[in-house]
Amino acid sequence: MPPPADIVKVAIEWPGAFPKLMEIDQVSPAHHVADQWGNHENFALQNADSTNFYITEKNRNDIKNGSILRLTTSPSQTAAQLHERIQSSSMDAKLEALKDLANSSRDVTFAQEFINLDGISLLTQMVESGTERYQKLQKIMKPCFGDLLSFTLTAFVELMDHGIVSWDTFSVAFIKKIAGYVNKSAMDTAVLQRSLAILESMVLNSQDLYQKVAQEITIGQLIPHLQGTDQDIQTYTIAVINALFLKAPEEKRQVGYTHTPSIPAHTQMHIITPKRSHTHTHTHTHISPKPINDEMAHQLYVLQVLTFNLLEDRMMTKMDPQDQAQRDIIFELRRIAFDVECEPNNSGSIEKRKSMYTRDYKKLGFINHVNPAVDFTQIPPGMLALDNMLYFARHHQDAYIRIVLENSSREDKHECPFGRSSIELTKMLCEILKVGELPSENCHDFHPMFFTHDRSFEEFFCICIQLLNKTWKEMRATSEDFNKVMQVVREQIMRALTQKPNSLDQLKSRLQNLSYTEILKIRQSERMNQEDFQSRPILELREKIQPEIMELIKQQRLNRLCDGTCFRKISSRRRQDKFWYCRLSPNHKVLHYGDLEESPQGEVPHDSLQDKLPVADIKSVVTGKDCPHMKEKGALKQNKEVLELAFSILYESDEYLNFIAPDKHEYCVWTDGLNALLGKEMTSDFTKSDMDTLLSMEMKLRLLDLENIQIPEAPPPIPKEPSNYDFVYDCN
């Protein structure tokens, strides 16, 4: 007879005794187990693993057969003891107590009790004033002082991570102290790391705190931390820089970045390519580059997005034709191209000067020859296009003059208009780099080459405008072909970017290899793979095959659900990832799910997923904004990507199981699979692409013998019957 499902067998250990084997009844309250040792208010059970989490009514169902538990003092008593111990006058006792506090604070049950004792304000007071008492001892006991502070800050970060206390409550004195630790050059690594994490959380969680932090620390003061070899410190530093950018008002963001133009260069030098020693004032020799971890890649991606978003203001600013300073830029473009000495005002009539200007503006390739300012009233790209043209004319003068003069000497219809193409190209680059869009939560997709130069966008434009001129010549284009040329240039740029060049020079060489003839070859080979299946008999065959393919996709989705997926738990901080796992039973009747400590490496055992949801109880599946966990304010930093990955299962009366898929692929698999279980249509993009791929493959297989034969629209006529059947050979 199988053992009752509610009974689990565990070992319980406590100081000074042998572990005791016990059976725990999952139905009776958790504290009843502790009653055997006296009043249960003084005792509690906790996991005897590295987490040391307390067993409560909420997590008791996670106890599995064979677990080892520890009998210990209750969370409230432990919190009271630690609250007292960290105020000890003995340095050693204080250090030991803070170490224990940092360790215990990861458990939400303990954290709640410690916070109830006003523990967080005690820690902030210790940071503000308590450490002053030990400043004199710092020289003698430097390691001890560093440890004391790092454990205090670690405990503070862990307690705040539970989201029980609002960030808005901290004083300026505390912020000054934390910012001071970041500004000090020779600071303990652990203290620096915690201080950076605290600053990032403060800036992201409160606009009021952002202003206080921004007064204490500048981006320029953070840059030295990018020059070390510790990737964690570099990651936290970039996270703080990103947070300051995200929360800064528009005008301050522009000023902050322009006054610290060395962020990209430092990032490239010390993080992306830290291979060789650099002959700068701060020389480092790195033997081999460290691979960039996911968190660092995400922060670099965010930095890249925020850097490009600084261009949005210029991109959305129309030119004012009455503004003399803006018109002077157009005069400057004309002067550099044709090297015109500023004529004295009395030279020639106004009419003559006007016609000369008009002729030059036509050579420069503006659409409006009389008043080129009108060309820059279209947004996007607005004034950003003019900024790019001026940068190109000043910093790549020879290439600029060559392009303008080369085209002004061609026939009218064959010239590549520099002005018009610069405006359209700037607009295209803004679309490709998604200027103005907010960063996504889970993206790690950054381009190393944009961190190699302080004016990387302008340099990127200079490379692309020369590419456009080259492609125009290769295509022997006329003004009617303008849009075709722009399509080819977009394809060249996109293909070069997918190869992730490490530098702008590498981008140039990739673009050299992607000439117009090369693009034609690529297009031709792609076209060969998409043969034209449009005749009626083939369309009928498609319709016949389609249900079989759909059934195949459905089976694949259900098989994937049976394998299961690891989902991230929703939390306000990215680094404290917790996971849970969900899978469908092989008979497709039940969904099994349960919490995990870490992302699983192999197969998740069945007995670790304690919770069940019968498929028959599922009422519906909702996605995106309709999900309950997307409506809760503050539960998540709402962003487009998370919304696109969210779905929920509704069962019973208003009960939901909420998911955030790890990526778009898993989102499609799960929403398709759940819809298939409920007998609904599978509508995801993934299903569409699978259907196209499998259908095209199946069609090619079935039509293999008909290669190179024209398929007629109508069936051929049936021939007349023969006069006799003497030619038939009877096998019998």
Side-chain angles (χ1 to χ4, degrees), residues 435-451:
V435 172
E437 282 192 23
L438 280 173
S440 298
E441 175 75 7
N442 294 324
C443 189
H444 307 111
D445 185 26
F446 72 95
H447 291 281
M449 69 174 189
F450 290 121
F451 293 95

Side-chain angles (χ1 to χ4, degrees), residues 706-722:
L706 302 176
E707 209 155 26
N708 297 327
I709 294 175
Q710 280 301 112
I711 298 167
E713 281 295 324
I718 299 168
K720 283 190 291 187
E721 281 199 25

Side-chain angles (χ1 to χ4, degrees), residues 583-595:
R583 76 151 71 91
L584 179 66
S585 63
N587 63 3
H588 302 172
K589 296 281 175 70
V590 183
L591 283 172
H592 295 273
Y593 60 96
D595 290 350

Side-chain angles (χ1 to χ4, degrees), residues 94 124-135 148:
K94 195 182 189 81
T124 52
Q125 280 162 24
M126 284 169 68
V127 171
E128 282 172 40
S129 58
T131 50
E132 302 292 346
R133 290 161 52 202
Y134 306 110
Q135 294 285 48
L148 196 79

